[in-house]
C-alpha cells in the first residue's frame, strides 16, 4: 500500500498588503487548504480585530466553497490556488458540511472574542468574575468620562490636590484650541493608556520564541504563580 504524504504547510503566514489587495482571499484559500489536509475546522484559528472583518471572512469562506460546488470554473480556480490537480464537487460539499457541523466551536472571529473565551474558561485562575462583557469604544469612553467625573468630585475635598490638578489643566490647555478641559483630559488619559497597555515596539506580535519558549526561559511563564502551573499544562 502506498503511503499518502500530505502536502506540508508552513506553521505561520505573514501577509503584508494594502487594503483591497486580496488578503481575505488568500486567508480563505489557506483555510480551505488546511481543510484539504484533514485539519479539523474547530482547530483552525483565524482572528481579526473587528466583528465586521470576522463576519466577512466566514462569509467569504462559505461563498468560495459554495461557488466551487455550483461552478466548474470556480472549482478549477480553487484547485489551482490550493496547488491540487483537481477538486471534486463532493469534496467541496464535504468541507462545507464539516464547517457547518463545527460552527458553534469555530475560532474564526475577533481577538477579543477568542481571549474572552479563554478568560471565561479560567475565571478563578485569572482572578476575574465569571460573567463580564467586552466594552465597545462608546461604552469605554463613557466609563472613562464617569470615572474622571468621580475623581473630580472626590478631589474637591482636598484643596491642595485640586489646585494642583487645575494648574496642570491650565498648563496643558495653553497651546490647545479646545474649549473643554474634560475632553482634553480624556484625550490625555487615552494616549497614556495606549502607551501602557499597547503592544511593545521592541517585540513583534506572535514571536514564537517568546510564546513557546521553555517555561524557565519565558518571562511570562516564569512569573509566579504561572511558574507552578506551566509544567503541568505543557505535559497535557
Amino acid at each position: 500500500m502506498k503511503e499518502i504524504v500530505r502536502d506540508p504547510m508552513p506553521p505561520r503566514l505573514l501577509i503584508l498588503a494594502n487594503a483591497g489587495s486580496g488578503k481575505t482571499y488568500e486567508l480563505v484559500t489557506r483555510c480551505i487548504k488546511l481543510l484539504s489536509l484533514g485539519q479539523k475546522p474547530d482547530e483552525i484559528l483565524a482572528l481579526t480585530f473587528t466583528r465586521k472583518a470576522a463576519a466577512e471572512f466566514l462569509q467569504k469562506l462559505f461563498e468560495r466553497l459554495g461557488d466551487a460546488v455550483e461552478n466548474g470554473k470556480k472549482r478549477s480556480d480553487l484547485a489551482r490556488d490550493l496547488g491540487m490537480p483537481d477538486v471534486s464537487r463532493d469534496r467541496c460539499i464535504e468541507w462545507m458540511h464539516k464547517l457547518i457541523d463545527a460552527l458553534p466551536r469555530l475560532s474564526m472571529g475577533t481577538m477579543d472574542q477568542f481571549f474572552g473565551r479563554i478568560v471565561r474558561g479560567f475565571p478563578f485562575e485569572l482572578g476575574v468574575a465569571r460573567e463580564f462583557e467586552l466594552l465597545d469604544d462608546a461604552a469605554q469612553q463613557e466609563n472613562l468620562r464617569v470615572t474622571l467625573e468621580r475623581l473630580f468630585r472626590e478631589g474637591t475635598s482636598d484643596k491642595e490636590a485640586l489646585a494642583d490638578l487645575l494648574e496642570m489643566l491650565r498648563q496643558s490647555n495653553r497651546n490647545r484650541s479646545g474649549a473643554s478641559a474634560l475632553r482634553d483630559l480624556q484625550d490625555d488619559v487615552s494616549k497614556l493608556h495606549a502607551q501602557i497597555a499597547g503592544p511593545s515596539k521592541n517585540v513583534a506580535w506572535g514571536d514564537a520564541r517568546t510564546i513557546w519558549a521553555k517555561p524557565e526561559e519565558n518571562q511570562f511563564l516564569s512569573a509566579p504563580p504561572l511558574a507552578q502551573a506551566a509544567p503541568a499544562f505543557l505535559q497535557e
Side-chain angles (χ1 to χ4, degrees):
M1 180 180 296
K2 184 179 180 180
E3 182 181 0
I4 299 177
V5 180
R6 291 179 175 176
D7 181 24
M9 291 189 68
R12 300 174 194 85
L13 175 66
L14 176 63
I15 299 178
L16 298 176
N18 297 327
S21 58
K23 292 189 298 296
T24 301
Y25 186 90
E26 291 295 329
L27 292 173
V28 167
T29 301
R30 181 175 174 83
C31 185
I32 298 176
K33 179 68 173 180
L34 290 172
L35 292 174
S36 74
L37 296 175
Q39 189 71 45
K40 295 180 181 179
D42 53 345
E43 293 180 353
I44 299 175
L45 182 63
L47 303 179
T48 184
F49 288 97
T50 66
R51 293 181 182 180
K52 179 181 178 181
E56 179 184 3
F57 175 80
L58 196 57
Q59 178 183 348
K60 294 294 184 182
L61 177 58
F62 277 103
E63 285 181 354
R64 187 89 182 277
L65 288 174
D67 289 343
V69 170
E70 299 296 331
N71 188 302
K73 175 63 167 56
K74 297 286 188 181
R75 200 156 52 246
S76 298
D77 292 342
L78 177 60
R80 178 201 64 212
D81 292 342
L82 295 178
M84 302 172 64
D86 183 47
V87 174
S88 68
R89 182 175 183 272
D90 291 340
R91 194 82 185 277
C92 294
I93 294 176
E94 176 189 348
W95 294 336
M96 289 191 70
H97 282 170
K98 288 184 177 180
L99 283 171
I100 293 173
D101 292 340
L103 267 178
R105 304 185 304 278
L106 289 182
S107 295
M108 299 180 184
T110 65
M111 298 181 68
D112 288 344
Q113 291 171 339
F114 176 71
F115 288 111
R117 287 170 55 187
I118 295 179
V119 173
R120 289 186 177 92
F122 302 93
F124 298 109
E125 292 84 349
L126 296 173
V128 298
R130 187 173 183 83
E131 293 301 326
F132 63 91
E133 61 179 337
L134 298 175
L135 297 179
D136 56 24
D137 291 339
Q140 186 173 354
Q141 289 300 316
E142 177 63 17
N143 280 359
L144 174 59
R145 185 189 65 79
V146 172
T147 300
L148 290 176
E149 289 182 349
R150 177 174 59 81
L151 291 176
F152 270 108
R153 288 195 303 269
E154 294 177 355
T156 56
S157 60
D158 187 338
K159 301 302 182 182
E160 183 177 351
L162 180 59
D164 291 340
L165 178 59
L166 292 176
E167 179 59 26
M168 180 192 71
L169 291 176
R170 292 192 190 98
Q171 294 292 338
S172 176
N173 289 327
R174 282 183 177 178
N175 297 322
R176 298 188 184 184
S177 59
S180 172
L182 180 59
R183 188 178 300 113
D184 289 338
L185 186 58
Q186 284 180 294
D187 291 341
D188 289 339
V189 172
S190 297
K191 292 176 182 178
L192 181 60
H193 180 266
Q195 293 177 5
I196 296 175
S200 171
K201 295 182 179 180
N202 299 322
V203 179
W205 287 19
D207 185 348
R209 292 172 299 178
T210 300
I211 299 174
W212 301 114
K214 295 179 181 179
E216 62 273 14
E217 299 175 358
N218 188 296
Q219 59 179 322
F220 302 109
L221 296 180
S222 61
L226 289 179
Q228 291 76 29
F233 176 79
L234 294 176
Q235 287 175 4
E236 295 295 331

